[in-house]
Amino acid sequence: MALVATDQPLFLSNRTSPMTAQGHLLFSVTCVLLAHKAELTPALADASLWHLVPMALASALLPDLDHPHSLLGRQLPWLSGPLSRLFGHRGFTHSLLAVGMGVWGLAQVEAPWLLSGAVKDALIVGYLSHLLGDWLTPMGIPLFWPWRRRFRLPGLPLRSGGGYERAFCLLTLALAGYWVHGDLGFAAF
Ligand SMILES: [Zn+2]
């Protein structure tokens, strides 16, 4: 799927609202199931899903720390407040630069008993799943921040925050789960 730029202004309505926290959590599980099954990294391939899924869930909401009213932002106002003022919602934390800094930061932690390779990879997958989820919605994300141009799924972006979003997240999760545990020959994809 190609990226497409959009100059859609940053305003909130039913059509342009971001993916919900519930949607992001479901989608992070889908993504880590796929990453595990597709053996995205050796560590992800070898690790148990019992270890990977909680880590993906743990990082799936981190990008929305830039919004004081997000689920995580409400728990950590001392962090979400400054982040919101500095970057605005869906700014820096929703960019590849933030992912790169996160990957670099995790690489500096050399404590396998605390953060194994699989744990680090699952945290990254969870974070990326959030960006991918928001990219699917009409509002898009500033992938190459500080360039403020937003990118979103071309064509028919996912209508966020309602039944469409829930159905999409549950369906993709069910398909991913079936691929991981079933034998439908989807491996060819
Ligand atoms: Zn977000």
Side-chain angles (χ1 to χ4, degrees), residues 18-19 24 63-64 66 89-90 94 130 134 141:
M19 186 177 263
H24 278 304
D64 280 349
D66 64 2
H89 183 40
R90 279 195 178 184
H94 288 68
H130 185 110
D134 280 349
I141 55 171

Side-chain angles (χ1 to χ4, degrees), residues 5-84:
T6 172
D7 290 323
Q8 194 150 359
L10 181 66
F11 62 90
L12 295 176
S13 74
N14 281 344
R15 263 187 60 75
T16 57
S17 60
M19 186 177 263
T20 62
Q22 181 193 51
H24 278 304
L25 291 172
L26 289 170
F27 197 51
S28 73
V29 178
T30 301
C31 288
V32 84
L33 288 179
L34 295 176
H36 170 72
K37 183 69 176 177
E39 302 182 356
L40 204 59
T41 68
L44 284 172
D46 292 341
S48 156
L49 285 170
W50 292 108
H51 290 125
L52 300 179
V53 170
M55 293 302 112
L57 287 169
S59 61
L61 300 181
L62 284 180
D64 280 349
L65 261 176
D66 64 2
H67 196 303
H69 295 141
S70 66
L71 190 66
L72 208 52
R74 286 199 302 269
Q75 313 306 314
L76 304 167
W78 54 273
L79 191 53
S80 62
L83 279 175
S84 171

